[in-house]
Amino acid sequence: MRLLLVEDDDHVAAALSAVLARHGFDVVHARNGEEALQALLPAETPPFGVVLLDLGLPDQDGYEVCGKIRKRGSIPVIMVTARSDVRSRIHGLNLGADDYVVKPYDTGELIARIHAVIRRPTSGGATTPEDSDLRLGPVRIELPTRQVSVDGSVVQLTRKEFDLLALLAQRPGVVFRREQIISEVWRTSWEGTGRTLEVHVASLRSKLHMPALIETVRGVGYRLVAPAT
């Protein structure tokens, strides 16, 4: 697994690269945003499986780099930064970061978080190679292409809306706790994400024109009610 480490401090990068190498990662080190974006250009080398992105870069803010990376594709991005305030976390997650780790961190936890985002790079926890499509009555969820359609008409969803729908659709009728959904889709335990979850559920109901598809289980969470075929 190739990993792109974006870190301007050579001492920090060297120490972390050594740890990552011991866990089987092929680490490429970029010292600034421009080097990172150049490294991600299509090439003959195997693609990167994940990006560890520091925010305090010398040439451009890490948030800007994250936005540019996200526009190019769905490669998992983990922000690794000393910025611990809630506003910074919200901003990073809204830009499309898959996780947000605050320095100083435990390397064991960082490795675990890397493996967590690698396991589900494009489908928000909904992947096995055999399950390329999920069908629920008129709803079709194509995991490889991240496309959702209702009665053959494509519905445009945001990244998190798709991840949320794909998660619930794996086990129709099963109640997913709010904490579990937030952990799986937003990869955080931050309590304030609960309001964001409610907004995403409401948006899905509206976009799919199926208000009964996602049922609220009061005091617990949500479950997907499979429509009749």
Side-chain angles (χ1 to χ4, degrees):
M1 173 66 69
R2 298 183 77 224
L3 181 149
L4 179 61
L5 173 60
V6 189
E7 169 63 63
D8 66 319
D9 188 318
D10 287 343
H11 294 291
V12 172
L16 183 54
S17 294
V19 173
L20 293 169
R22 288 199 296 270
H23 283 81
F25 292 98
D26 177 13
V27 181
V28 174
H29 176 209
R31 293 174 175 81
N32 55 54
E34 186 58 33
E35 285 186 13
L37 294 172
Q38 287 297 319
L40 290 169
L41 290 175
E44 296 300 324
T45 54
F48 290 99
V50 65
V51 177
L52 294 185
L53 176 63
D54 184 32
L55 295 183
L57 301 175
D59 61 337
Q60 53 188 305
D61 192 86
Y63 290 130
E64 182 181 352
V65 177
C66 179
K68 292 176 180 178
I69 293 174
R70 188 53 66 231
K71 287 179 180 179
R72 295 183 180 185
S74 59
I75 179 173
V77 176
I78 300 177
M79 290 184 173
V80 184
T81 175
R83 302 179 193 178
S84 60
D85 61 286
V86 171
R87 182 174 296 180
S88 294
R89 295 187 186 202
I90 295 172
H91 188 43
L93 295 171
N94 284 341
L95 283 173
D98 295 88
D99 204 346
Y100 193 105
V101 179
V102 177
K103 299 177 180 178
Y105 51 80
D106 178 83
T107 54
E109 180 184 359
L110 178 62
I111 296 296
R113 288 175 180 250
I114 292 172
H115 284 298
V117 300
I118 289 174
R119 282 197 300 269
R120 295 181 295 272
T122 58
S123 59
T127 66
T128 59
E130 296 79 13
D131 296 334
S132 59
D133 288 359
L134 296 173
R135 294 177 181 270
L136 301 157
V139 181
R140 179 180 180 182
I141 304 170
E142 300 177 43
L143 300 180
T145 60
R146 297 178 64 83
Q147 186 174 88
V148 174
S149 59
V150 178
D151 288 326
S153 298
V154 175
V155 180
Q156 297 298 326
L157 301 181
T158 67
R159 177 183 176 84
K160 293 303 182 185
E161 287 169 352
F162 179 90
D163 291 346
L164 172 57
L165 180 62
L167 176 65
L168 297 176
Q170 289 177 88
R171 301 172 69 186
V174 174
V175 179
F176 285 79
R177 292 178 294 105
R178 294 167 62 88
E179 296 84 355
Q180 179 184 359
I181 297 172
I182 291 170
S183 175
E184 291 284 338
V185 176
W186 279 269
R187 307 228 168 80
T188 180
S189 60
W190 179 58
E191 295 178 356
T193 311
R195 178 55 183 162
T196 301
L197 171 57
E198 293 174 1
V199 171
H200 279 70
V201 169
S203 180
L204 277 173
R205 289 168 173 163
S206 176
K207 287 185 176 182
L208 297 173
H209 300 290
M210 302 177 71
L213 182 65
I214 301 176
E215 180 182 20
T216 301
V217 181
R218 292 190 180 278
V220 183
Y222 298 93
R223 67 181 167 195
L224 190 144
V225 180
T229 56

